Amino acid sequence: MITSLGLGEGPLDHMKECGIHHANLRNLQADIHERLTTVAAARAPPPTQEWFDAIRARLEAWRSSYIPVPGEYMNQDWLDLQYSITTTLMCRPSPGNQKPGQQSLISAVQAAGNIIKVYKRLWRAKVLNFIWLGIHHVFMAGVTYLNSIWIANGEGWSIIHSYIDAILDIQTCSQLLEAMSGEWPVLTGLMGSSRARYRVHA
C-alpha cells in the first residue's frame, strides 16, 4: 500500500495482480519459444521429459492461481484460450521437438480444438476485439490440428476421439476463418492456403 508516509503492507490491488499474472504467462511462453522454436533450439537435442514436466507444472500452476473478476479482460474465456494456446506451443511439432510423442500430439489436438471452440463462441457473441490476432490463432490451431493428425497417422497412432469429431472441428475452423476474414480482401491468400491444406489432408 502506498501512502504519503511511504510504502506499507496492504492488500494487492487486483489490477496489479492481473498484470503480474499476465506477465507470468508471457514469461512462460517465452521460455517455450526459446527452447522449441529458435535456430539454436533446432540445432540442440530435443528437450528432456523433465523439461516438459516442469513446463506443464508451471502452466497448471499459472492456470489455477488466478480467479477472474467479472468484467475484466482476463475473464474465463481469456484464461482458457491462453491455456490452450500455450499447450499447443509446447506440444505441437516444432524445430526443437520435431517428433513429439503420442501423448503430446493428443494434447496438441485437444488444445487446438479448444482454441477453435472458444473463438467460435467469442465471435458469435460479438465480443472479439482483436480480430487479426484471432485469425492468427484460429489459423495456427487448424494447422496444428491437421499436422498433428498427419504425423500421428504416419506413426499408426490414434489421437482423436472419432473421425466425425475431427471433421466437425476442421469445418468449424474453416467456417470461422471465412467469417472472420470476410471483411479484408487481403486475406484471400490465407483462405486459399487453408482450403488447400484441408484438401491435402482430406
Side-chain angles (χ1 to χ4, degrees):
M1 180 179 295
I2 303 175
T3 68
S4 59
L5 299 177
L7 297 176
E9 295 184 358
L12 181 64
D13 180 79
H14 182 71
M15 289 306 297
K16 183 179 291 185
E17 184 182 16
C18 178
I20 291 172
H21 198 64
H22 196 167
N24 288 338
L25 171 70
R26 299 312 178 197
N27 286 334
L28 174 57
Q29 291 176 338
D31 288 343
I32 295 173
H33 275 294
E34 181 180 19
R35 188 60 185 87
L36 295 179
T37 65
T38 62
V39 174
R43 296 171 178 170
T48 63
Q49 186 58 48
E50 288 74 17
W51 182 87
F52 282 105
D53 291 343
I55 292 293
R56 172 66 73 177
R58 287 174 60 188
L59 178 58
E60 296 297 336
W62 175 86
R63 183 64 185 86
S64 63
S65 62
Y66 186 82
I67 300 176
V69 172
E72 67 179 4
Y73 79 93
M74 285 178 58
N75 56 27
Q76 192 68 48
D77 281 331
W78 189 89
L79 292 169
D80 291 344
L81 187 60
Q82 296 302 321
Y83 179 87
S84 295
I85 289 171
T86 308
T87 299
T88 61
L89 288 175
M90 176 177 59
C91 296
R92 69 189 182 196
S94 60
N97 186 33
Q98 299 181 21
K99 295 182 178 180
Q102 182 178 10
Q103 189 56 51
S104 289
L105 293 179
I106 290 174
S107 296
V109 163
Q110 290 175 345
N114 288 337
I115 292 170
I116 295 168
K117 291 179 177 66
V118 170
Y119 268 111
K120 177 183 177 181
R121 184 165 63 249
L122 295 176
W123 178 257
R124 285 186 168 181
K126 298 182 179 180
V127 294
L128 191 58
N129 295 322
F130 303 102
I131 296 179
W132 275 96
L133 184 61
I135 291 171
H136 167 74
H137 286 156
V138 173
F139 180 76
M140 291 304 298
V143 171
T144 296
Y145 199 108
L146 289 170
N147 192 41
S148 297
I149 293 176
W150 182 270
I151 293 174
N153 184 65
E155 297 289 343
W157 298 336
S158 175
I159 64 170
I160 54 177
H161 291 299
S162 71
Y163 180 74
I164 296 299
D165 288 337
I167 291 295
L168 291 176
D169 283 341
I170 294 303
Q171 284 181 340
T172 299
C173 180
S174 179
Q175 292 166 357
L176 188 54
L177 283 174
E178 194 86 40
M180 293 170 70
S181 62
E183 300 178 14
W184 295 283
V186 70
L187 294 177
T188 302
L190 173 65
M191 289 309 303
S193 175
S194 65
R195 292 192 195 99
R197 192 170 183 87
Y198 297 155
R199 285 196 297 269
V200 167
H201 286 78

